[in-house]
Amino acid sequence: MGKGYAEGPAAEAAEEERERLAQGPQPPQAAVRKAVFGSTRDAPDPHFLGWDDEIDQDALFDAGEAWGLSVRVVAAA
């Protein structure tokens, strides 16, 4: 491997890793997921309807079961 590569991206990545290790242990970051919020007939105020990858927003809206849909990034339990 040529010296030019060792001075480029690989050297930058190694330097970033050294800086990260020098900062010491970091608290774990909370996992996040996309959550769908919206209104329903039983609960007209916007509330959690389900996870974005588990429900079909279009089907809920088209069937009139939910409206005012929005997707928010929230911490997953």
Side-chain angles (χ1 to χ4, degrees):
M1 181 172 310
K3 183 177 177 184
Y5 180 79
E7 294 175 351
E12 292 172 9
E15 180 64 25
E16 290 173 5
E17 180 66 11
R18 280 191 294 277
E19 290 174 3
R20 186 185 67 76
L21 291 172
Q23 293 175 356
Q26 301 295 316
Q29 294 184 359
V32 296
R33 288 183 75 180
K34 292 181 179 179
V36 178
F37 287 78
S39 300
T40 60
R41 186 168 296 135
D42 295 335
D45 291 331
H47 59 279
F48 176 78
L49 297 174
W51 300 111
D52 184 48
D53 58 348
E54 295 177 359
I55 65 171
D56 186 350
Q57 297 178 53
D58 293 330
L60 287 174
F61 183 78
D62 292 343
E65 295 177 21
W67 55 90
L69 301 174
S70 65
V71 177
R72 303 177 197 171
V73 177
V74 298

